[in-house]
Amino acid sequence: MAYVLENTAEARRLKLQDDISVYSLNHDLKDLKITSKDKVLDAGCGAGIVSLFLKKNYEMHSLESCDFSDIRLKQAEKYLVDNNAGENVSYFQCDLERIPKNDHSYDKIVCRFVYEYLPNPLKVTQELHRLCKPGGVVRLIDLDGVVANLHTNNSELRDMLILLTKKAYEDHHLDFYAGRKLFAHMKGAGFKDVSYQVRPMAFHGEDLLKEVENYRERFNFGRALLDSVFGSPKMAQRFIDAYLEELTSKDSLLFYNNFIVTGSK
């Protein structure tokens, strides 16, 4: 697994994103029903946004946070400590296809905004099923239409978005439509009682201005991918400039769908 936005400043971007109201974790995790006896895993914890929310909002037996990136794990640990939530949390580095824990290790598993980067999402879902205790619950959360769902009258930009969506998926395992596939992955991995919610995310006012800055950072950190997709730094910059301009155009619309999928074992 490779994270296309890998950068030491990615933690700052993720915290900026968390400050945008339509990304609110309350929508994604408020009804998870974690108890004081539960062992919980934050799978693909990134900079610790989900881990902090879990620690601040739930009493639990223990929380473990794992990620492919050692940089991100260190940032997550610091983030929780800085927010007085570092107690009873452990961290470990791993590929989510091969998590070094015993079968039936966790009562609850959360995996948020990770599936869009996975080369083998079903294999990861099967691994989460293995780790889940009988009667335990796994919740997957991911966006659908991120980047791609910009409606614009700029025909060149529309063509570039089609190319980006296709090449990012084929060459870099980056799936802008990961959210809609979570339900099928959970069913395919053997989860029971699989349910889903779909929450539209549209950007207006202050949220839109913050999302423009979020995109500046996304494109900055993912510049190598954009150069590869568009064939040259010049064309990649042409795409970036056009996209950022269209984000605030009165004739354009940016929206995603957020899929929240829950299954039990």
Side-chain angles (χ1 to χ4, degrees):
M1 174 182 172
Y3 185 45
V4 298
L5 301 182
E6 187 63 63
N7 190 288
T8 55
E10 171 66 349
R12 175 175 53 79
R13 185 195 71 80
L14 290 170
K15 291 165 191 173
L16 167 69
Q17 178 174 280
D18 188 54
D19 191 46
I20 301 172
S21 64
V22 293
Y23 284 98
S24 172
L25 272 163
N26 279 314
H27 298 296
D28 298 345
L29 299 176
K30 64 181 178 181
D31 62 341
L32 196 53
K33 298 180 182 178
I34 293 173
T35 74
S36 60
K37 296 180 180 180
D38 284 345
K39 293 183 65 177
V40 180
L41 175 67
D42 180 3
C45 67
I49 305 296
V50 170
S51 294
L52 180 63
F53 181 91
L54 293 171
K55 286 290 291 182
K56 291 288 190 180
N57 289 275
Y58 293 104
E59 293 290 334
M60 65 194 80
H61 178 272
S62 63
L63 173 63
E64 296 184 11
S65 303
C66 69
D67 201 274
F68 184 79
S69 168
D70 185 56
I71 294 172
R72 212 65 62 241
L73 283 170
K74 291 175 180 175
Q75 291 174 332
E77 183 172 11
K78 183 178 186 304
Y79 187 50
L80 266 69
V81 169
D82 289 348
N83 284 275
N84 302 311
E87 293 185 3
N88 205 27
V89 185
S90 59
Y91 306 85
F92 64 95
Q93 184 179 12
C94 71
D95 186 326
L96 293 185
E97 293 182 17
R98 295 175 293 277
I99 300 175
K101 298 291 179 177
N102 294 330
D103 294 357
H104 317 313
S105 289
Y106 302 101
D107 299 281
K108 302 289 191 309
I109 301 174
V110 177
C111 187
R112 182 178 188 252
F113 295 173
V114 174
Y115 270 66
E116 60 202 283
Y117 304 106
L118 297 177
N120 297 299
L122 178 58
K123 189 170 182 179
V124 170
T125 316
Q126 291 168 336
E127 184 71 344
L128 299 182
H129 185 273
R130 179 186 72 80
L131 293 172
C132 188
K133 292 181 181 180
V137 170
V138 171
R139 174 160 294 179
L140 309 180
I141 303 139
D142 220 316
L143 301 176
D144 195 278
V146 66
V147 182
N149 280 11
L150 174 67
H151 174 71
T152 171
N153 292 324
N154 183 330
S155 60
E156 181 187 29
L157 180 57
R158 289 200 304 267
D159 290 343
M160 295 177 90
L161 280 168
I162 292 169
L163 176 63
L164 174 60
T165 302
K166 180 176 185 292
K167 296 288 286 182
Y169 183 72
E170 291 177 350
D171 298 346
H172 302 276
H173 307 295
L174 180 58
D175 188 354
F176 297 144
Y177 298 104
R180 68 186 63 184
K181 301 169 186 175
L182 297 180
F183 181 81
H185 294 323
M186 293 201 83
K187 297 283 282 189
F191 284 96
K192 301 181 297 184
D193 303 319
V194 181
S195 63
Y196 67 91
Q197 304 169 54
V198 184
R199 181 171 62 87
M201 298 170 61
F203 296 82
H204 311 278
E206 187 68 21
D207 275 352
L208 178 58
L209 295 177
K210 290 178 179 178
E211 185 68 349
V212 171
E213 292 308 307
N214 193 20
Y215 266 103
R216 289 187 197 278
E217 297 287 67
R218 281 177 175 145
F219 291 153
N220 182 29
F221 301 160
R223 185 56 190 263
L225 179 147
L226 294 176
D227 289 351
S228 171
V229 164
F230 294 114
S232 72
K234 181 179 179 180
M235 287 305 297
Q237 190 61 52
R238 186 178 180 89
F239 166 78
I240 292 169
D241 292 342
Y243 195 99
L244 293 177
E245 180 179 354
E246 287 298 301
L247 281 180
T248 54
S249 168
K250 62 181 177 61
D251 297 321
S252 298
L253 172 68
L254 176 68
F255 74 98
Y256 321 135
N257 288 307
N258 188 33
F259 280 74
I260 304 163
V261 184
T262 307
S264 61
K265 182 172 178 179

